[in-house]
Amino acid sequence: MNKYLAPSLLSANFYNLEKDLKVLKEEKIKYLHLDVMDGMFVPNISLGVPVIESIKKNTGEDFVLDTHLMVERPERYISNFKNAGADILTIHQEATGDFCEVLTIIKEQGMKAGISVNPETDIHKIDECLKIADLVLVMSVHPGFGGQKFIAETIEKVRYLKEERDKHNYKYMIEIDGGINLENVKMVCEAGVDIVVAGSAVFKEDIRKNIINLNNILYSF
Ligand code: DX5
Ligand code: ZN
């Protein structure tokens, strides 16, 4: 399976969005990671439905909009994100009661359904919905802010998810999010991730150069 870099717009300069998305497209970025925060599930507030809608309207099929909901009771907003143009909708295990049921509803609405776990959450809590998930997102920092330090222990979850997928022939992609940079990207690829989210490592100084450097490592797998 190919490995993909998913730049997280959380670290972008929104004044430059059109220009920067053009660079991402030129560098063949497929997945665009969109962090939605509600100030409740995490102590921060970020972008939401109107930004996603505007990106979809103006970039069409250029990117897969990989939407990461750090929101309490995300089931309240599924159709809003569908209408805005989200392609993947990832919810947190910790944010809702019947998360397997929420994944099913996301899929019924025609999106790919992702499930995420915080660094301190036991990965076995999501065992029951691995068979229906399209994506599993391993948080490698405490969600809420870009630019934090990678928590190395979370890599065990990636290895576990890869083993389970191989063992049961599950179909989900494995994504890692938080603190990824040129120093640790090789290690997470070796553990088995398919999608690598990077915010501050992409949107600092020369975006094109950062993408090329990270992709050089991803393409070597
Ligand atoms: C954190 C977000 C991440 C964040 C990653 O809650 O989910 O997607 O943007 O930023 P970096 O790569 O800077 O850790
Ligand atoms: Zn994220």
Side-chain angles (χ1 to χ4, degrees):
M1 213 191 284
N2 288 334
K3 298 197 188 293
Y4 299 94
L5 176 66
S8 163
L9 286 196
L10 191 63
S11 298
N13 177 348
F14 285 89
Y15 192 59
N16 294 339
L17 209 50
E18 183 178 359
K19 186 163 74 80
D20 291 351
L21 288 179
K22 204 166 148 267
V23 174
L24 265 52
K25 190 185 169 192
E26 284 164 6
E27 294 307 324
K28 311 268 182 295
I29 290 295
K30 177 174 179 189
Y31 293 90
L32 202 57
H33 189 79
L34 300 157
D35 289 301
V36 179
M37 303 178 184
D38 67 350
M40 296 294 285
F41 181 72
V42 289
N44 198 6
I45 296 177
S46 62
L47 55 88
V49 166
V51 175
I52 293 172
E53 198 172 8
S54 164
I55 292 173
K56 192 54 154 192
K57 271 203 185 113
N58 290 284
T59 62
E61 299 308 309
D62 289 350
F63 304 107
V64 174
L65 301 188
D66 170 30
T67 309
H68 176 193
L69 296 188
M70 285 158 276
V71 168
E72 285 290 349
R73 295 184 45 234
E75 60 274 20
R76 295 176 291 163
Y77 302 109
I78 296 171
S79 53
N80 301 66
F81 285 100
K82 169 67 187 167
N83 295 337
D87 298 293
I88 305 173
L89 203 59
T90 297
I91 60 159
H92 269 259
Q93 183 275 334
E94 305 87 356
T96 188
D98 195 350
F99 49 91
C100 293
E101 172 64 15
V102 181
L103 292 190
T104 304
I105 299 169
I106 293 171
K107 285 166 73 124
E108 280 169 2
Q109 294 222 9
M111 293 177 283
K112 300 261 188 241
I115 181 80
S116 181
V117 284
N118 285 342
E120 68 278 10
T121 300
D122 184 348
I123 191 71
H124 295 295
K125 286 210 166 146
I126 61 165
D127 278 346
E128 60 189 295
C129 63
L130 289 181
K131 58 176 174 301
I132 60 163
D134 296 305
L135 182 141
V136 182
L137 193 171
V138 174
M139 282 307 303
S140 44
V141 297
H142 296 286
F145 301 92
Q148 302 180 76
K149 192 177 174 298
F150 179 71
I151 302 171
E153 295 74 36
T154 57
I155 222 162
E156 278 309 317
K157 292 178 182 172
V158 174
R159 296 199 182 102
Y160 169 75
L161 289 166
K162 186 168 185 307
E163 275 170 27
E164 285 299 289
R165 186 174 66 190
D166 291 347
K167 208 193 300 174
H168 303 283
N169 199 21
Y170 291 150
K171 301 290 178 231
Y172 53 80
M173 294 180 93
I174 305 170
E175 182 173 41
I176 196 154
D177 183 7
I180 300 297
N181 54 37
L182 275 176
E183 279 70 57
N184 56 27
V185 66
K186 184 164 183 273
M187 184 169 73
V188 299
C189 286
E190 280 166 355
V193 296
D194 308 297
I195 305 179
V196 175
V197 176
S200 45
V202 167
F203 290 98
K204 56 155 197 229
E205 296 145 24
D206 189 338
I207 297 173
R208 192 186 303 275
K209 200 168 134 222
N210 297 331
I211 293 174
I212 291 172
N213 288 340
L214 286 162
N215 266 342
N216 273 340
I217 301 175
L218 264 63
Y219 292 163
S220 70
F221 279 85

